[in-house]
Amino acid sequence: MTEGRIWFNGALVNYDDAKIHVLTHALHYGTGVFEGIRCYNTVHGSAIFRLQDHMQRLIDSGKAYFMDLGFSRQQLEQAAIDTVRANGMAECYIRPIAFYGYGKMGVNPMPNKVSVAIAVWKWDEYIKGSGEEKGARLMTSSWARLDPHSMPMHAKATANYANSALARVEALKAGFDEAIMLNSAGMVVEASAENIFVVKDGELATPPTSTGALCGITRDSVMAIAEAYGIRCVERNIARDELYFADEVFLTGTAAEIKPVGEIDNRLVGRDGGKPGAVTRRLKELFEAVVHGKDEKFRNWLTPIS
Ligand SMILES: Cc1ncc(COP(=O)(O)O)c(C=O)c1O
């Protein structure tokens, strides 16, 4: 996207006017927090998926960095709605970001003012190679996921994404679609920007967030949908090689939505040539219905734009 309107510190400005200073603290030291949200064209009109939860996570992420965003959650929610409306998009990806600005250089961010911005754009397929026929090809990254002892990994902070970027670029350069990241104990954590689920003998499992995985909102949605539709789901440690022997593997994230995985470290997933399995297809179908307002049980996750 190169045009449209961006909400910047309380006002909608033109795309080219949403600029920051080169001495912005967050640019030098990674002191920013952000969100990724989707607005869907539902059967009831355009609506933002789990807006309150995303804005609460933004505020919580900021708390880890002593960041006062200067706007209440309700104000941020309204700002997201206003930005979508101002850009006249029925469906889009929404990117709120809060960051320490400029004025005082040095590692301590606190003397700098916090800015908040919200941009929207059209973001269709985030992970390639994850069609109906065969799921995405993943590789285990040589980069370990940042340790929760080193960083508050439950904060969606810009600083964490240098680690993600290293893993993703490594995977793309090696010809894969995405990276899987292990923690320093060798347990599966998540992909570079998605949570991970495995299906084995009919049971759905995902690593606990204590591994360092983000408390993904899509992850939470999938767990709630699975429970509502009688699919057993557990949070447990998953070793790297369990992925090779799983019946199904899929990734979840706001940008990626639900992406079937067909291959891991050059081993096909499941017994059907890496094709998306039955549980993955069912959850994907249920999730699609939920985000498009076709499932009354989860209507309260949708905030209408108009
Ligand atoms: C590292 C990481 N893990 C998981 C996720 C999935 O989270 P969510 O479903 O809230 O988008 C994301 C995306 O935000 C992410 O960046």
Side-chain angles (χ1 to χ4, degrees), residues 57 145 156 161 190 192-195 214 216-218 252-254:
R57 189 171 68 182
R145 192 71 178 127
K156 193 169 164 62
Y161 287 82
E190 58 187 347
S192 75
E194 301 84 30
N195 292 109
L214 188 73
I217 289 170
T218 320
T252 63
T254 298

Side-chain angles (χ1 to χ4, degrees), residues 162-299:
N163 177 240
S164 293
L166 287 166
R168 186 156 168 92
V169 170
E170 180 183 43
L172 295 179
K173 278 188 175 291
F176 292 86
D177 302 313
E178 176 57 309
I180 294 171
M181 305 193 73
L182 310 180
N183 61 17
S184 47
M187 290 295 149
V188 174
V189 180
E190 58 187 347
S192 75
E194 301 84 30
N195 292 109
I196 188 163
F197 284 83
V198 303
V199 180
K200 182 74 181 173
D201 299 330
E203 183 188 78
L204 191 58
T206 190
T209 57
S210 55
T211 54
L214 188 73
C215 302
I217 289 170
T218 320
R219 173 186 184 274
D220 181 72
S221 305
V222 163
M223 289 168 80
I225 294 168
E227 190 183 346
Y229 286 92
I231 301 168
R232 190 174 133 75
C233 181
V234 295
E235 290 178 85
R236 64 170 177 82
N237 275 321
I238 295 172
R240 171 182 179 167
D241 65 349
E242 278 187 69
L243 299 177
Y244 303 160
F245 311 125
D247 298 326
E248 303 177 34
V249 178
F250 63 88
L251 304 179
T252 63
T254 298
E257 300 175 294
I258 295 182
K259 290 292 172 203
V261 175
E263 212 178 295
I264 295 166
D265 296 339
N266 296 308
R267 282 121 174 136
L268 289 172
V269 172
R271 293 178 201 89
D272 196 15
K275 280 201 193 120
V279 177
T280 307
R281 281 188 278 115
R282 172 96 174 115
L283 284 167
K284 202 167 154 49
E285 206 178 275
L286 290 168
F287 180 78
E288 284 296 313
V290 167
V291 298
H292 289 104
K294 295 177 190 162
D295 187 334
E296 283 305 312
K297 278 198 275 301
F298 296 102
R299 256 299 273 289

